[in-house]
Amino acid sequence: MEVHRRRAKKRDGNDKLSVLPASTTGSLSSIITTSVASSEPDRGDLRDGGVGGGGDDDEHNVVATAAGGGKCAGGGGGGPGGHGREIKQEKWWETTLQISIPFFIAGIGTIGAGIILGRVEARCALDSEIALINFITSRWKVFHHVTELFILVPALLGLKGNLDMCLASRLSTQSNLGNMSSTREIIHMIVGNIALVQVQATVAAFIVSLFAMGVGAAMNGRFLFDHAMLLTASSMFTATSSCFVLDFVLVAVILLSNKFKMNPDNLATPLAASIGDVVSISLLSFIASLLFEHLDTHLWITFVVVACYFILLPFWVFLVFRNKYTRPVLTTGWVPVLSALFISGLGGLVLDKAVEVFKGFVVFQPIINGIGGNLVSVQASKISTMLHQSSIIGIIPPHAKIFEMPWKALFKGVPYAKTARILILMSIPGQVLFIFVADYIHMSESTIGAPFVLSYMLVSLIQVMLLLYIAHIIIHAMWKWKIDPDNSAIPYLTALGDLLGSSLLALAFLFLQSIGHAYGETIEEFGSAIATTMSFSPVDIDLSKNFAPKLA
């Protein structure tokens, strides 16, 4: 009888374990296995041959044992949750290749965003200094009259990163856990996540516009109701439209990655920002300019735009609430998004002030912010996936701890250090290429020299390494506090990337200005650009008479 009671108790325990959520099933055995394996010395037959030599041995050992004993783990009872299954080992060159493709595509997007902002800045400057070129400034003069739009730019770009990258991280984790095998479940996930992003984008964009209004009123000493409505309508239109478009791109990337056996953690999160920056800035410029042209006579249009989004909001909430994949995020996902908006808003203040002081600042600001956010989002997504595969939420696995030495977290010592090394090394040639291309397109010739390149590279490396180290701390702390990092980590990291990138870039421009190597267009270059646009000879531009052209 005693034997039967013990067997029955064991079966009850297994039944309780079997009904746990997919992200926790089988994790205890993995943790125990990892704990034993991590106390043993590395074996020669576990070498992975990755970047940095022996550092990858530790990662291979930890990842294999986290899966329940390497290749033998495939027969475990993990089921669709992914635990007890073999965790795919990635060679360093596979990780590098998969990350580099979306990384350089994302770089093109950030360059495009910088060029668009550079054109906006230049034409606003022309409008304030050169009264005759009205038709050039007619499309962009809204940025000159409603300067609070510059405060919206980092916040909206950060919001796009917060929402779309979280969606990419959530779906990537589900893909790596093996939960995207049923067409019905895939559709259920997609619909719920897109609806969730629309809810978050609508509410967050409205709050961002309120923040921009308040800061603008405090800085300018006045409040204009029509400008406030323009800000609100432009912010909500830009956030919801760009997120809606990008969500479908991300879903397609994740489904293709799943089909071709690639890791979506390496592909989806960088692609979330590949065209996102240029799409967001283009939409903001388009809708703000369109509304500004008819602001005096058709102010009611802004009311209609805002009302439409608030009418749609209950429909999106209904879809999210009925979806088991997104229902918890509807109530718990607001703190990181709104906190990140506040941090990004501080970055917007830096941008707003830097635009007035440093010419050409807006050309490089989207690049340093976008690339930093892209790289740290890859690391955040991969760490989160590994934690879901190897542990129960609330328990830090033995192969890592919340606070590690920076060298261990970034270069050699923890399982995620290999990816961190790759991301740091990839950022160096990538950033150099991006700034030269952006400068050449913006100035129509290469104008940057060694002081600019060295200063920019120093601040960009500081930003990337700080973000990667902060990511290690934040994600493990969230896991310990039973907060899913897929929903909460990336908003903080991308917002910090915006703030750090804008602030460090401003310091670099200040340093270059102090040593006499300031970047930017001079008055003569403005005159030359105008002359080219107007088909005049530069000689015909009289710089001493407020740039009035001699038509005789």
Side-chain angles (χ1 to χ4, degrees):
M1 289 295 292
E2 182 66 25
V3 173
H4 287 298
R5 277 199 300 269
R6 288 180 181 176
R7 288 179 179 174
K9 186 176 182 180
K10 185 176 180 180
R11 282 197 301 270
D12 291 341
N14 289 336
D15 291 341
K16 290 180 180 179
L17 185 61
S18 66
V19 299
L20 288 173
S23 61
T24 61
T25 304
S27 297
L28 285 176
S29 61
S30 299
I31 295 173
I32 294 170
T33 309
T34 307
S35 180
V36 174
S38 62
S39 64
E40 298 176 356
D42 296 336
R43 298 190 182 101
D45 59 351
L46 289 177
R47 293 197 178 106
D48 192 34
V51 178
D56 293 333
D57 299 347
D58 298 334
E59 179 166 356
H60 186 106
N61 191 14
V62 170
V63 172
T65 53
K71 294 184 179 181
C72 297
H83 298 288
R85 301 172 45 195
E86 181 183 1
I87 300 176
K88 186 179 183 296
Q89 318 279 316
E90 287 185 18
K91 301 292 186 181
W92 69 268
W93 57 268
E94 290 179 327
T95 303
T96 303
L97 181 62
Q98 290 181 24
I99 294 175
S100 62
I101 296 173
F103 171 75
F104 284 101
I105 295 176
I108 296 173
T110 57
I111 290 172
I115 296 303
I116 291 174
L117 276 179
R119 295 290 183 265
V120 170
E121 178 204 31
R123 291 174 182 180
C124 286
L126 289 175
D127 184 63
S128 62
E129 298 175 14
I130 309 167
L132 76 116
I133 318 292
N134 290 326
F135 74 94
I136 292 181
T137 61
S138 60
R139 184 178 178 185
W140 305 108
K141 64 183 179 182
V142 60
F143 283 86
H144 172 63
H145 292 281
V146 189
T147 56
E148 294 86 353
L149 286 170
F150 280 113
I151 300 175
L152 281 182
V153 170
L156 288 177
L157 296 186
L159 177 65
K160 174 266 306 169
N162 296 343
L163 304 182
D164 291 327
M165 288 183 183
C166 280
L167 177 143
S169 184
R170 284 194 298 269
L171 293 182
S172 296
T173 296
Q174 294 297 326
S175 175
N176 282 316
L177 292 177
N179 295 338
M180 298 187 73
S181 55
S182 167
T183 303
R184 181 178 179 182
E185 288 301 304
I186 291 174
I187 294 174
H188 203 46
M189 288 181 198
I190 293 171
V191 171
N193 276 279
I194 290 178
L196 173 64
V197 171
Q198 287 299 302
V199 173
Q200 293 176 322
T202 302
V203 176
F206 179 71
I207 295 174
V208 165
S209 64
L210 293 179
F211 175 80
M213 288 179 222
V215 172
M219 294 173 60
N220 301 326
R222 59 191 174 93
F223 175 80
L224 299 176
F225 181 75
D226 54 349
H227 286 187
M229 289 304 302
L230 182 144
L231 284 172
T232 305
S234 301
S235 177
M236 297 177 76
F237 177 86
T238 302
T240 54
S241 301
S242 61
C243 286
F244 194 76
V245 172
L246 291 173
D247 287 348
F248 283 100
V249 175
L250 289 176
V251 167
V253 169
I254 292 170
L255 292 178
L256 289 174
S257 302
N258 195 43
K259 180 179 179 180
F260 292 105
K261 308 300 181 185
M262 293 186 291
N263 188 353
D265 282 327
N266 297 334
L267 298 167
T269 46
L271 280 177
S274 61
I275 58 174
D277 289 347
V278 67
V279 167
S280 298
I281 292 178
S282 299
L283 285 173
L284 178 62
S285 303
F286 167 76
I287 190 65
S289 299
L290 189 63
L291 292 175
F292 185 76
E293 289 178 4
H294 306 284
L295 195 62
D296 294 332
T297 57
H298 296 81
L299 181 62
W300 59 269
I301 297 178
T302 60
F303 288 93
V304 172
V305 173
V306 174
C308 286
Y309 285 113
F310 278 116
I311 291 172
L312 283 173
L313 188 58
F315 170 71
W316 298 122
V317 172
F318 174 77
L319 290 180
V320 175
F321 190 74
R322 289 178 56 87
N323 193 292
K324 64 181 180 180
Y325 294 103
T326 55
R327 188 186 304 119
V329 189
L330 185 63
T331 55
T332 62
W334 290 104
V335 173
V337 170
L338 298 181
S339 301
L341 285 179
F342 175 75
I343 299 172
S344 294
L346 297 178
L349 294 179
V350 175
L351 174 63
D352 189 48
K353 288 298 181 184
V355 165
E356 301 175 1
V357 179
F358 306 116
K359 291 189 181 298
F361 183 88
V362 291
V363 177
F364 302 99
Q365 187 259 1
I367 297 176
I368 190 171
N369 288 1
I371 297 305
N374 295 345
L375 295 178
V376 75
S377 68
V378 174
Q379 182 75 334
S381 187
K382 290 175 77 69
I383 294 176
S384 180
T385 294
M386 186 174 288
L387 288 174
H388 276 282
Q389 290 174 320
S390 64
S391 182
I392 295 175
I393 191 166
I395 300 177
I396 301 292
H399 61 256
K401 54 186 179 181
I402 296 177
F403 294 100
E404 289 280 6
M405 294 298 293
W407 174 264
K408 288 185 177 181
L410 299 180
F411 297 100
K412 182 179 178 181
V414 297
Y416 332 109
K418 179 176 74 173
T419 307
R421 304 196 287 272
I422 292 173
L423 295 174
I424 293 170
L425 292 174
M426 187 181 296
S427 71
I428 297 174
Q431 292 275 26
V432 172
L433 175 64
F434 297 151
I435 61 174
F436 270 101
V437 171
D439 171 65
Y440 186 84
I441 295 176
H442 179 61
M443 302 290 284
S444 299
E445 60 179 341
S446 183
T447 63
I448 58 178
F452 181 89
V453 174
L454 293 176
S455 300
Y456 181 90
M457 289 309 304
L458 176 62
V459 297
S460 66
L461 278 175
I462 292 174
Q463 179 215 27
V464 169
M465 288 192 288
L466 277 174
L467 287 176
L468 292 174
Y469 184 63
I470 293 171
H472 178 95
I473 296 173
I474 286 180
I475 293 172
H476 287 88
M478 287 180 174
W479 191 262
K480 178 68 175 178
W481 297 334
K482 298 186 178 181
I483 301 172
D484 190 348
D486 275 331
N487 300 325
S488 303
I490 288 179
Y492 289 112
L493 294 170
T494 54
L496 284 172
D498 292 342
L499 180 58
L500 286 173
S502 298
S503 302
L504 290 170
L505 185 62
L507 289 177
F509 269 71
L510 184 63
F511 170 74
L512 290 168
Q513 193 176 68
S514 67
I515 64 174
H517 287 275
Y519 179 89
E521 297 171 327
T522 63
I523 296 299
E524 289 75 17
E525 288 169 335
F526 269 123
S528 178
I530 296 165
T532 303
T533 305
M534 298 293 295
S535 301
F536 292 124
S537 169
V539 179
D540 293 329
I541 301 296
D542 186 359
L543 298 178
S544 63
K545 295 184 179 180
N546 199 24
F547 300 100
K550 298 180 181 180
L551 301 177

